[in-house]
Amino acid sequence: MSRFYRKRNKAAGLPPGTPIYIGSGEDLPARITIIDYGPDDFQQKEAACAEDCFFYKDTPTVTWINIDGLRDVSLIEKIGKAFHLHPLVQEDIVNTYQRPKLEDYRDYFFIVLKMLEYDEEKQHLGAEQVSLILGPNYVISFQEKIGDIFDPVRNRIKEAKGRIREKGADYLAYSLIDAVVDNYFTILEKLGDRIEGMEEELTSNPHEELLHRIYGSKRELIFLRKSVWPLREVVNLLQRGESPLVSESTGIYFRDAYDHTIQVIDTVETFRDMVSGVMDIYLSIISNRMNEVMKVLTIIATIFIPISFIAGIYGMNFSHMPELTWRWGYPAVWLLIIAIIVGMVVFFRRKKWI
Amino acid sequence: MSRFYRKRNKAAGLPPGTPIYIGSGEDLPARITIIDYGPDDFQQKEAACAEDCFFYKDTPTVTWINIDGLRDVSLIEKIGKAFHLHPLVQEDIVNTYQRPKLEDYRDYFFIVLKMLEYDEEKQHLGAEQVSLILGPNYVISFQEKIGDIFDPVRNRIKEAKGRIREKGADYLAYSLIDAVVDNYFTILEKLGDRIEGMEEELTSNPHEELLHRIYGSKRELIFLRKSVWPLREVVNLLQRGESPLVSESTGIYFRDAYDHTIQVIDTVETFRDMVSGVMDIYLSIISNRMNEVMKVLTIIATIFIPISFIAGIYGMNFSHMPELTWRWGYPAVWLLIIAIIVGMVVFFRRKKWI
Amino acid sequence: MSRFYRKRNKAAGLPPGTPIYIGSGEDLPARITIIDYGPDDFQQKEAACAEDCFFYKDTPTVTWINIDGLRDVSLIEKIGKAFHLHPLVQEDIVNTYQRPKLEDYRDYFFIVLKMLEYDEEKQHLGAEQVSLILGPNYVISFQEKIGDIFDPVRNRIKEAKGRIREKGADYLAYSLIDAVVDNYFTILEKLGDRIEGMEEELTSNPHEELLHRIYGSKRELIFLRKSVWPLREVVNLLQRGESPLVSESTGIYFRDAYDHTIQVIDTVETFRDMVSGVMDIYLSIISNRMNEVMKVLTIIATIFIPISFIAGIYGMNFSHMPELTWRWGYPAVWLLIIAIIVGMVVFFRRKKWI
Amino acid sequence: MSRFYRKRNKAAGLPPGTPIYIGSGEDLPARITIIDYGPDDFQQKEAACAEDCFFYKDTPTVTWINIDGLRDVSLIEKIGKAFHLHPLVQEDIVNTYQRPKLEDYRDYFFIVLKMLEYDEEKQHLGAEQVSLILGPNYVISFQEKIGDIFDPVRNRIKEAKGRIREKGADYLAYSLIDAVVDNYFTILEKLGDRIEGMEEELTSNPHEELLHRIYGSKRELIFLRKSVWPLREVVNLLQRGESPLVSESTGIYFRDAYDHTIQVIDTVETFRDMVSGVMDIYLSIISNRMNEVMKVLTIIATIFIPISFIAGIYGMNFSHMPELTWRWGYPAVWLLIIAIIVGMVVFFRRKKWI
Amino acid sequence: MSRFYRKRNKAAGLPPGTPIYIGSGEDLPARITIIDYGPDDFQQKEAACAEDCFFYKDTPTVTWINIDGLRDVSLIEKIGKAFHLHPLVQEDIVNTYQRPKLEDYRDYFFIVLKMLEYDEEKQHLGAEQVSLILGPNYVISFQEKIGDIFDPVRNRIKEAKGRIREKGADYLAYSLIDAVVDNYFTILEKLGDRIEGMEEELTSNPHEELLHRIYGSKRELIFLRKSVWPLREVVNLLQRGESPLVSESTGIYFRDAYDHTIQVIDTVETFRDMVSGVMDIYLSIISNRMNEVMKVLTIIATIFIPISFIAGIYGMNFSHMPELTWRWGYPAVWLLIIAIIVGMVVFFRRKKWI
């Protein structure tokens, strides 16, 4: 449940801008990786301490500093100080219950993204916060856990694949955001399979368990939606290219990422429509089943109750019941019973119940 | 299901702008057709290789290059290079899971459309991606399969019908887009017939199968909607005529196409309303049926259970049951039974059940 | 059904701007009526051929040319040529499946309206297309059939009632549009009566037939909505008075017409709310009925099944059943039965079922 | 029903701007009251005829002319002429089926409001139209009936309470509009009580009658909404203070009135949400009741039908039924019956039905 | 109920701007606390009377005047006069049924907030109005009751924690608003727990009581929404920093508060979606239960009614019933009965009912 709302500083009452780690990341020491590159240079190293990064702030080459693990708040504060990050930015980096957003601090952009993971067993979406600082010639990325989502970008830089080595920090930021968005499509595919499974079950034999799966899908879609809608605004701001931090030629790439974001949103909305369609059909099928059950009951009861009554009549012990002694009394009763059965069957046929 | 969401590059991790074919087109060699025309000239030929097209880039006449089949990515790349298409454009042409969009690259427009096909047997909508490049005096169109939807335009150019030969590349692009939009009306007609069929079944004898048809129609409408809504924005951008690529006099034609797009959207929304209306009525009819079934059961049971009880009483074997030896005991029981039946019938009449 | 979507040119493949009649008007020869007037002049005549109208194009007086019947496409083309109408306008005049719209061609406005007719017997709305050309000092109106809706305007011109003779062509256009809008109120009144009838039936005795009437009303409201919503935009454009074709003083009148259009839309939305309210209540009443039916069945069955069982017990033929020979056995059984009935009645009272 | 849509001029075909009374006001002679005041002056009198008012048009003091009763159209026309009111304004004053609106005629504002009355007995909202003309130094108000809603304003002027005597005609208009808006809160309170009553009934014992009350509330809320939403726009236009007719210092008061209008709208929307919530819960309770009824029936039937069958078996008259002559046959049957009852009760317990 | 709509002045008819206390605060004497501080100064005292505050109006240091208890209207008026507050502001401070709003009076902002309290026992949200006056170097806050929500801010000033002592009155206002918004997260957490509890009950054993809890949650969410939506606009106005009252550097903090407000709104909307999801699932479970109940009834009735009929037949007392004297008649009947039971069981298996 807690993933649905922002956690407050437990030690409420602290002044705003006081960074305190709030999240569910594992308690590991932070890992700092520095990648520094230009069209012809490439250098990658692990930093032992925060101070190792400061040097790269003013180099003309593009520098990507990646920090995995946010529990060491003092580290974040040191980096924040060196790169002149606003105290509120430092606070938001370590409070991992932010919604995706872009904040323009003139000298740098502060971007918050949500990386999603789909736990197929529990059919549950988890979110990890990824924060980016996009400066004139550096990008700092903060992740809660050590992940592999940025590996393809790292490889592209290393192997100088595509245009990434010739482009600036804005293109690097684009590559990272694109990797996150790309990941959403994987999740959508899995959710799509799940919905397809529900659709198929509808036509075979729907059980009450389907109901809980429908509700589960709804929840995950609500959660997904919460992460994706604000992203649209983030990428839109980047695409518009009104800041000197994003060059015009990179703006075209952000436009592409924007297009992808819209596709993600579109698909989420489509899935919502479909899930609610599945729900409606499920309910109708239940109604139909009930109807069928009732019909069987009614047909049986309506045929047998009257004829049982007739049998009951001639089970009475009155001394004076002339029919009982008639020679053809018994066969006549059978005839009557058969007539009633036939009449009822005709009646139900007319009503199209059988 | 897959038609509902964008497929990612299977080889994720490739840099953006790397064209890889993603789609379901048949594995046929690409076919390149070149039509070059002016008010008085007309020339049509099949190009053997990509290079054959390059010559037409700078001729003053209008050139329409049509490529059917997108599996040969290197071909697309060659053309892309010759016409200075942005790598992202090349990527989007062959990744056929785009949503309709228009991207303004100053020198040319990149337009993505969805051509729809309705498989009447499966009652299923399929989509094929059509990409257009609108340059100053040329149009390049990319289709997944060899289709006949652009034949009327081809004929009009050949036979110099209407104004097409006197107008520029913008009018040619309009003609192609209009052909696509026109095709939507055919699909709407078929969907309309289907909805009408469902409405008629409602008044005759609705079966559970109708439910699945309702859900099917909903799905197709969701899909249709996804293809048509973004088209509105595309045509709107063209209609506004803010780019030198579209002349004012052609803008009027795009306004007409815009009007048609709105009509398509309108109709899709109307159909959605109708389908959900049909669903509501279906559910109510099921409720009504159930009610009727219950009434029959109740009437029969309520009449016969009490009188069976009376018969049961006089079927008891007590030694001392004075009624059994009365002379008129048996007829009196019949009278009682008839009285109960009449009473019940009156009761049900009052309740307006019969 | 077909009234819900635009019909395409049957001869698809024709170039845009080719006028072909698509509609359901009767096959009568077109009738051209010319009314020419100024503050002190008035002249009315039937034109024998299209050429009779051309003279009035440049007279300083206001001219109203009304054409009833659109099957004679060549006539429309002649007029179109004389008044310099764009080919797309000519096409739209005779393709009567347009949505209401206003197109500004600088020299003239092209306005499409929908005149509605309510067939009370079939409870079905029909639409007829009315196209207007508003030029600097003339109005050309095109109708599918010979109608009487514009008669009041004609009379006002003839008898110089109100301000119409002193005002220009814009005021004439306003009068015609106002006549169409005014007609919508008549239709709303009829629909209102129908909804009121449904509301009343709810409180008396609702039948399944009501369901089909609800669905019918929904359909007609969907159709009405489709005709009225775009009209709002049309009148809004006229009211804003940004074109020299509409004088400021007439703008005030268009503002009034706009207000009326809003009222029509408001009422349509209100009716939609009401119809769906009626539907909800109907469904709830059905549920309630079912509940009542079930209660009767349950009460009867729950009382009589146990006592029938008791009677059954003493109808068994065991040799050794001591109760059967007891002196007070039979009355005791009756006492037991009465006790059960009383107990059940008390139970149902407590549950507030009776 | 008729209150939901605009009535047309019965004598349709009259030119626009022809005032004809359409409404349900009583047939009383109009009453004209004139109040003329300044910081230190105050004068109140009843005018015998329309001409008595004309004098006040150009006095520097603020003049409030109130007309109760609109059946005397010629009176309205006289006043309209004297104060240069546009013919459309005159028409709208007496056609009382307008929606709230503000029309800016440069020299004066024409404001239409709806005064609501709640008939507690019939639980029905009635509306009376109040029209205001706000000129540079006069306000003319038109009411259908003689009402007391403006009495507090009259008193404040008379007794020079608050700032009203020091302020201009704009503040007087504000006071009148505020009185109307204030009245809405009274109505909301009554509707709120009614909804609260429905909520309480939900937890006690809901009857079908509640259904009709829910529908009734929905209708009244639809009606209220229709009157209040457009008011928002009216007050917003006044608050913005873009016209010289409204001074900046009065604009602040209109901002307050705007705030109140928003509160009214908010509350109406909240009530709508609540009423539909009540409806949902009502439906669910009905379903639950049905469920409970069915359970009782099923429990009774499922227990007694099998044991009745056993009794039936031993009521058969076969010559060769060994059990009948067994010494312990009868007690054995009872044991069997008790076993079945116990088994069934255990089964139902497990299912948590009892 | 009353918390859902604005209360009017009981003594209606008073001129606007007349402050009258309307609220539910306890009848305690007002308490005035003054905190005056600069980077190096700090002074806190309780004022005995309103006049004690006036001195601080023009000091260069930042002054925070907090008034708890609004029943003493004359006190508010005195302060209002001294700080030149508009009469409407004074009225709104003591009429505690305002919606959150910000009014810009040039020299000062008037801000209304809602402080919420969640009564866990009654599961009921209560609201207290907090009004703020933000002047150039002072903030006046008005609360209905003595509360502790601003204590952390007070402490931060006292202990010079964070930046608060170096910043101006705008930052103080931000701190107070942030404290209110922060409080919403606590309430959301509690509501979230409640919804989670409902979700869990769905999967265990849902009772009718759940229905009332769902409705209760809906109501509280409607109420919460009413308080939070307008807050968004308030904080947005502050964030935009278009007034000299808010410095640019504080604007960044307001942007953060805005972000939090959006998160609150987002979560409220999410909770609404979830609650309505829970409702849908609850209804479906009820339907499913009913279905199961009906199945049990039908299975039992359908098996036993026919075989009871057979027993009834051979309980008849006809003199001539040959079967009764057959040697194997009784076992044959048992065989027949068993055959019927087996047949029925097979039938139900096929229908997948058992």
Side-chain angles (χ1 to χ4, degrees), chain E residues 235-252:
Chain E
V235 185
N236 190 25
L237 285 169
L238 288 163
Q239 161 210 294
R240 270 198 263 145
E242 285 166 359
S243 160
L245 287 169
V246 177
S247 72
E248 199 183 339
S249 73
T250 307
I252 288 174

Side-chain angles (χ1 to χ4, degrees), chain E residues 115-129:
Chain E
M115 191 129 78
L116 297 180
E117 263 171 318
Y118 188 61
D119 182 335
E120 297 218 41
E121 220 170 299
K122 293 195 211 155
Q123 308 210 306
H124 181 277
L125 273 175
E128 189 195 337
Q129 177 162 317

Side-chain angles (χ1 to χ4, degrees), chain D residues 4 26 47-48 66 78 103 152-153 162 170 198 203 217-218 248 257 277 304 323:
Chain D
F4 281 104
E26 292 152 58
N66 182 52
K78 274 186 215 157
E103 287 178 355
V153 180
D170 50 354
M198 297 195 301
T203 56
S217 299
K218 263 195 181 170
E248 199 183 340
F304 282 95
E323 298 97 320

Side-chain angles (χ1 to χ4, degrees), chain B residues 3 44 47 81 90 118 148 151 161 174 196 199 235 255 277 284 298 305 330-331 343 349-350 352:
Chain B
R3 66 186 164 136
Q44 170 165 13
K81 218 166 183 178
Q90 297 177 34
Y118 188 61
D148 55 1
D151 283 354
K161 266 198 266 180
Y174 154 73
E196 205 172 16
E199 283 181 337
V235 185
R255 190 169 70 183
S284 317
T298 302
I305 290 180
Y330 181 54
R349 282 268 146 128
R350 285 237 179 107
K352 296 202 180 153

